[in-house]
Structure formats: structure tokens, C-alpha cells
Amino acid sequence: MLDLWYSEKLSEGAKFSMLVDEHIYSEETPFQKIDFFNTKTFGKFFTLDGLIMLTEKDEFIYHEMITAVPMAVNPNIKKVLIIGGGDGGTAREILRYNTIEKVDMVEIDERVVRLCQKYLPSTACKLDNDDRLKLYFEDGLAFVRDAKEGSYDLILVDSTDPIGPGEGLFTHEFYKNCYRVLSEDGILINQHESPYYDEYRREMKRSHSKIKNNFPIAKVYQFHMPTYASGHWLFGFASKKYDPVADLKADEWNCFGIKTKYYNTDLHIGAFALPNYVKEELESV
Amino acid sequence: MLDLWYSEKLSEGAKFSMLVDEHIYSEETPFQKIDFFNTKTFGKFFTLDGLIMLTEKDEFIYHEMITAVPMAVNPNIKKVLIIGGGDGGTAREILRYNTIEKVDMVEIDERVVRLCQKYLPSTACKLDNDDRLKLYFEDGLAFVRDAKEGSYDLILVDSTDPIGPGEGLFTHEFYKNCYRVLSEDGILINQHESPYYDEYRREMKRSHSKIKNNFPIAKVYQFHMPTYASGHWLFGFASKKYDPVADLKADEWNCFGIKTKYYNTDLHIGAFALPNYVKEELESV
């Protein structure tokens, strides 16, 4: 049997490895290197510039947590902007809510979308068959700069780490424009890195510092994501007026009747109860 | 520089690796193989039969969560039995509570204690200088079989996985005896494995099934433990009358004035809010 391992460095002195059945496809685009693999333990997975984006085994955790949390705080969200998210998982999850009227998805690299449609239909399945969704292959930073004031209820920043094409999405200017294009009910959710390893903790703090400067409410929530560094991953929740716990509308969310494998409204509250060491790091910025 | 990696299999197709500065010590006891290592990223760590027991970087998470949760549900706990826990971390944490009168610690392998005293004083520091603690180098299963009815308020099962010397601690007979030796206020906390990888999920379910058969209240709580398989780890909370959330005494626990790096009383509630897929697996047993 082929003993081929994909390894990802989590920190200077730590790595995570997956046994690969087949390296399905590899392509170098103007933006990044895209690779698809097949495994027995995790199903298919893909990487951008050698970093795991998702595996079929646990992508549901990330995609439920990025979408269900804001929907349970403001169940009246109608207009959504997704920045990044080329694999389609975030779009798939948000489109499960019938009350959503419009989803604009801005992915800088069209090849990510096209290749996920070919190799990862389990996440990309909703990218070409829902009239509410419109795809834009542009830079997210430029898109929000040009977007109309107050035109979205929800922005989901489903980005890579702040190195390479995702870099502009971690800037002060980006968050400032997000605030402007959000409605008065607006919520911003962003990929917020991780507290455990030094390299990720640094980015977590940088990101939090910028969001705090632009939004009156800026909280962080956690979830268990086994194939991301340390398994302890974070999203940021920023808004103009809603507190993610005090304004949770558990009954309304449960009325949607959306079956989830990870999220529930008790866990929603628990996700915002951070460990002391994480709170201290965030408060120190 | 030496490029020496310690690797641990998490599942058939996954592994976690740490860059090792030095393999400090190795010994084969009648029970198991014990190894100590030094690293830059995680400080020192030790393994039993090639499986990570703890690293200096994240042991605080495990040891706070095994002790603070029961102390916040019943702050009047006085008499504690620790089964396993040879590294001393669990004893160190429970002895921080001045109200604790007696801790009996039963570790099958004296060499684990002696070697941790030598190589891991950060966890073993309280094993020889607190009169409330008594060490027994015996089999935990036999110890609870012989212990007097109602003689402990709290049992902490800080065991290895249910293979090798830890095996007897995952049996029906063991839990039945735990019930008998606990007082009417009694609480049992046990190392409860992990929900994500098949091999660990199987043990999680077996363990839960046996505890449920012996205790009227049997819940499970989670925490982020980056150096354990998947980073999503569980403890079981079983008791004769206390519900871990409804009976949480947050104010009383906060009055202890114990400074913790992970645990807090909001997180206590959140830890019991399990993901749907974990709840379903536990309910299916």
C-alpha cells in the first residue's frame, strides 16, 4: 500500500499529517497553488499553497458555525455577502435558510470555485443552482470599497490565513468598509484564527484589534475543528447593535427547522464562553 | 540541528508530531514503557507505551477541567480519591482548594510518580509536601473494591486509554464500586476519550454506557486539548444527585479565589453544551 503522508506544520515544532490514498489534482493559478487529495479517514481534502482548507469529514463544523450563529442572532437577515469561501460550503449552509433573498459571493480565484465544483461537489453543490446566489471573481477588498452603503445584513469573511491572497481581508481598511456596507442590523463574521500556537495567536490578536476599532460590538467564539491547527478555532462576531448572547433568538432559530450536525442554540452560548487564557490575550490588544 | 520527531497515530490515517530536542529518559516497568522528552514548542512531555500523557504547554487545561468542574458543583467536597494521575497534575490542582481535607491517590505504577517527580516537577510538585495527600501504589480496581462505603465525596479517574494497565478502570465492576464508595453527595469524574476519530469514539461510547448503568446522573463535558487526538476531549460527570449545570454554584466557586488559566464558571456551562453529533453518539448507547 502507498504510504504517502500529507503534513502541515502547525508551529515551528508541531505538525499534523494525513495518510493520502491519491493526489488527485494540482494546479498553479495566478493567485496560489491548489491541490486535491483523497484519503480514507477524512474523505477528500484540498489545500491552498500547502495549507488545509477543508476535509469532507469535518467541514460541516466550520460551515455551520459561520452561518448559524448570525442567523440565530438576527433571523431576519436577507442580504448576505460572502468574501472568499470558494469551496462553496458557506454558501451551501446559508442558502439552507429559505428567508435569505440574496447572496453575493466574492472569490478572488475563479479556479478554486471551478475545481471544487469538479472535485468537491459535496461543498460546491449550491454554487450553480440557486438563483439567489451571484458569483463575483474579484478582490474582496476592492468589492467592499465599491459596494453601496447599508446594502447587506450579513458579511461572512471565509478567508485563508492573512498571508497571500487573503492578506487584504485582515486590514483596517477592509473592516471599515465592511461597517459601511452593513445595514443598521448588520453582522460581520470572520475567520479569526486560533489561540494556541504562537503564529496563529499573533494573527488572532491583530485581527481582533482591527475589528474592535471599527465595530461597537466585537466578540469571539470558538469551536472544535480537528483538522485545523490545535483543533481550537475561532470566528469573530462583530455588529452594530446585536450582542451575540443577550440577543440570541433561540426559539426563532429552532423554528427554521434546519437540521445541523454540530450547532445548536445551547452550544451557541457555550461557544462564546472562552477560556481565561484566550480572553486575556484578546483583552490585551 | 537534530530533526527528531515524535509521532502519535490519532487514527489509521492521521498523526500528530512534535519536534524533539532531546529524548531525556526511557524505562520499561512491569506495567508499561515510560519516556520523557524535551521540546521547544511544548516544553517537556512524557509518554506511556508511546502515547502522549501530557505536555507542559497544555496540561493546565486537562487538570483544571478535571478538578474545577466538580468543585463548582459541590464546593463542600472534602474527601477525594484519585485513580491514576501519576504525573501529579490532578493532585496539584485539587490540593489548591484549602477546604479539601484528604486526597487518596492510587497509582498502579510507582515508577510513573518517581520519574515525574524527577523530570516533571511542574506537575508532580505537590506529591511529597502536602499532608492531606496519601499515595497508594496499587491497582485502582482492587482499591475501590476494598474501600469503605460512602467514604469519598469525589472520585477522579485520571487514567490512560482503556488498553494496558488502565483497562480495568473502564469496566462495569469498577463503576459499580465507585458508586458504592461515594457519599450521597458523591461525584465521579472520568477521562472519557474523544468523539471524532472512530477508535476513540468507540471507547467514549463504551465508557458512557457503563457509567449510565450505574449512576442516575451521567453527563459528558468537553474541552479544547490541543495535544490529544483531534483536540476535542471529554470528561464524564456522574453523580448521585447533582446536575452539573442546574446545580452549578458559580458564586461559591468564584469565592475560592482560585486563579485558573482555562476554567471559568461561564465556560463550565458551555462545556456541557455538546455538538449534535456528539449528543447523538452518546444517546445511541
Side-chain angles (χ1 to χ4, degrees):
Chain A
M1 207 186 79
L2 192 65
D3 193 40
L4 179 67
W5 289 84
Y6 162 88
S7 286
E8 182 168 322
K9 231 173 179 176
L10 310 176
S11 181
E12 262 319 298
K15 61 186 181 187
F16 173 69
S17 309
M18 296 190 278
L19 184 61
V20 167
D21 269 359
E22 192 191 355
H23 188 170
I24 301 169
Y25 186 78
S26 187
E27 180 176 320
E28 188 99 35
T29 79
F31 301 101
Q32 54 208 341
K33 189 167 183 296
I34 313 178
D35 290 273
F36 289 82
F37 302 86
N38 200 14
T39 74
K40 281 200 183 52
T41 303
F42 300 94
K44 280 185 256 182
F45 75 94
F46 88 104
T47 63
L48 295 179
D49 287 338
L51 293 170
I52 301 168
M53 289 299 113
L54 66 81
T55 81
E56 285 189 309
K57 184 172 168 66
D58 62 2
E59 57 86 9
F60 72 95
I61 299 171
Y62 183 98
H63 293 126
E64 287 182 11
M65 289 301 281
I66 199 173
T67 51
V69 167
M71 289 305 293
V73 173
N74 177 15
N76 295 315
I77 288 169
K78 308 277 184 227
K79 292 170 185 163
V80 181
L81 172 62
I82 299 173
I83 306 281
D87 55 72
T90 296
R92 179 197 67 199
E93 283 303 308
I94 199 74
L95 288 166
R96 294 177 73 195
Y97 298 83
N98 294 329
T99 50
I100 296 291
E101 291 170 1
K102 161 179 149 162
V103 178
D104 288 341
M105 179 174 139
V106 183
E107 165 59 56
I108 199 165
D109 192 348
E110 180 172 357
R111 292 303 294 156
V112 175
V113 169
R114 299 308 169 211
L115 291 171
C116 287
Q117 287 178 314
K118 184 162 179 190
Y119 295 112
L120 276 171
S122 57
T123 58
C125 52
K126 291 286 169 190
L127 293 179
D128 55 6
N129 61 6
D130 193 309
D131 290 343
R132 295 172 295 169
L133 179 74
K134 198 162 171 189
L135 293 174
Y136 296 84
F137 299 111
E138 300 174 23
D139 175 28
L141 182 60
F143 189 93
V144 292
R145 198 187 284 136
D146 299 338
K148 238 183 78 195
E149 196 176 321
S151 48
Y152 296 100
D153 306 312
L154 174 63
I155 300 178
L156 301 172
V157 187
D158 181 5
S159 66
T160 56
D161 299 325
I163 308 134
E167 207 164 342
L169 306 180
F170 283 75
T171 60
H172 180 70
E173 189 202 350
F174 174 71
Y175 293 124
K176 205 177 134 183
N177 275 307
C178 284
Y179 186 91
R180 190 182 55 76
V181 304
L182 279 171
S183 61
E184 283 314 301
D185 283 327
I187 296 172
L188 169 79
I189 307 289
N190 74 303
Q191 198 277 89
H192 210 300
E193 304 290 321
S194 172
Y196 185 73
Y197 292 112
D198 294 351
E199 300 81 347
Y200 289 96
R201 184 169 58 246
R202 203 177 306 130
E203 297 309 327
M204 167 192 90
K205 291 169 75 168
R206 280 180 56 198
S207 192
H208 188 60
S209 151
K210 284 165 195 156
I211 296 174
K212 251 174 69 171
N213 284 336
N214 283 289
F215 283 83
I217 295 166
K219 301 287 171 80
V220 171
Y221 61 103
Q222 64 193 348
F223 51 104
H224 287 93
M225 191 69 197
T227 58
Y228 284 7
S230 88
H232 191 175
W233 213 259
L234 306 173
F235 283 127
F237 176 106
S239 84
K240 297 191 179 185
K241 68 177 194 195
Y242 290 119
D243 179 273
V245 174
D247 295 316
L248 167 63
K249 296 172 189 75
D251 292 346
E252 288 185 53
W253 187 84
N254 286 308
C255 273
F256 281 125
I258 304 263
K259 187 165 163 47
T260 46
K261 285 186 278 180
Y262 189 86
Y263 178 85
N264 58 63
T265 50
D266 290 332
L267 182 146
H268 179 118
I269 298 167
F272 285 92
L274 301 176
N276 289 352
Y277 85 97
V278 182
K279 288 204 285 186
E280 282 159 22
E281 291 286 351
L282 291 170
E283 281 158 14
S284 74
V285 303
Chain B
M1 207 186 81
L2 192 65
D3 194 39
L4 179 65
W5 290 84
Y6 162 88
S7 286
E8 181 167 322
K9 231 175 179 176
L10 311 177
S11 180
E12 262 317 299
K15 61 186 182 188
F16 172 69
S17 310
M18 295 190 278
L19 183 60
V20 167
D21 269 359
E22 194 192 352
H23 187 171
I24 301 169
Y25 186 77
S26 186
E27 180 175 320
E28 189 99 35
T29 78
F31 301 102
Q32 55 208 341
K33 191 166 182 295
I34 313 179
D35 290 274
F36 289 82
F37 303 86
N38 199 15
T39 74
K40 281 201 183 50
T41 303
F42 300 93
K44 279 185 257 180
F45 75 94
F46 89 105
T47 62
L48 295 179
D49 287 337
L51 293 171
I52 301 168
M53 289 300 113
L54 66 81
T55 81
E56 285 189 309
K57 184 173 167 67
D58 63 2
E59 58 87 7
F60 73 95
I61 300 170
Y62 182 98
H63 293 127
E64 288 183 10
M65 289 301 281
I66 199 172
T67 51
V69 167
M71 289 305 293
V73 173
N74 178 15
N76 295 315
I77 288 169
K78 307 278 183 227
K79 293 171 186 164
V80 181
L81 173 62
I82 299 173
I83 306 280
D87 55 72
T90 297
R92 179 197 68 200
E93 283 303 307
I94 199 74
L95 288 165
R96 295 177 72 194
Y97 297 83
N98 294 328
T99 50
I100 295 291
E101 291 170 2
K102 162 181 150 162
V103 177
D104 288 339
M105 180 173 139
V106 184
E107 165 61 54
I108 199 167
D109 192 348
E110 181 172 357
R111 294 303 294 156
V112 175
V113 168
R114 300 308 168 210
L115 292 171
C116 287
Q117 286 178 315
K118 184 162 180 189
Y119 297 112
L120 276 171
S122 57
T123 57
C125 52
K126 292 286 170 193
L127 293 180
D128 54 7
N129 62 7
D130 194 309
D131 290 343
R132 296 173 293 168
L133 179 74
K134 198 161 171 192
L135 293 175
Y136 297 85
F137 299 111
E138 300 175 23
D139 175 28
L141 181 60
F143 189 93
V144 294
R145 199 186 284 138
D146 298 338
K148 237 184 76 195
E149 195 177 321
S151 49
Y152 296 100
D153 306 313
L154 174 63
I155 301 177
L156 301 172
V157 186
D158 182 4
S159 66
T160 56
D161 299 326
I163 308 133
E167 208 165 341
L169 306 179
F170 283 75
T171 59
H172 180 70
E173 188 202 350
F174 175 71
Y175 294 124
K176 205 177 134 184
N177 276 308
C178 285
Y179 185 91
R180 191 182 54 78
V181 305
L182 280 171
S183 62
E184 282 315 301
D185 283 327
I187 296 172
L188 168 79
I189 307 289
N190 74 305
Q191 197 279 88
H192 211 301
E193 304 289 320
S194 172
Y196 186 72
Y197 292 112
D198 294 350
E199 300 82 347
Y200 289 95
R201 185 168 58 243
R202 204 177 306 132
E203 297 309 328
M204 168 191 90
K205 290 169 75 168
R206 280 181 54 199
S207 193
H208 188 60
S209 149
K210 283 167 197 156
I211 296 174
K212 252 175 67 173
N213 284 336
N214 283 290
F215 283 83
I217 295 166
K219 301 286 171 82
V220 171
Y221 62 103
Q222 64 192 349
F223 51 104
H224 288 93
M225 191 67 198
T227 59
Y228 284 6
S230 88
H232 191 175
W233 212 260
L234 306 173
F235 283 128
F237 177 105
S239 86
K240 296 193 180 184
K241 67 178 194 195
Y242 290 119
D243 178 275
V245 174
D247 295 316
L248 168 63
K249 294 166 190 82
D251 292 347
E252 288 185 53
W253 188 85
N254 286 308
C255 274
F256 280 125
I258 304 263
K259 188 166 160 48
T260 45
K261 286 185 278 180
Y262 190 86
Y263 178 84
N264 59 62
T265 49
D266 290 333
L267 181 146
H268 179 118
I269 298 167
F272 286 92
L274 301 176
N276 289 352
Y277 85 97
V278 182
K279 288 204 284 185
E280 283 159 21
E281 291 286 351
L282 291 170
E283 282 159 13
S284 74
V285 303

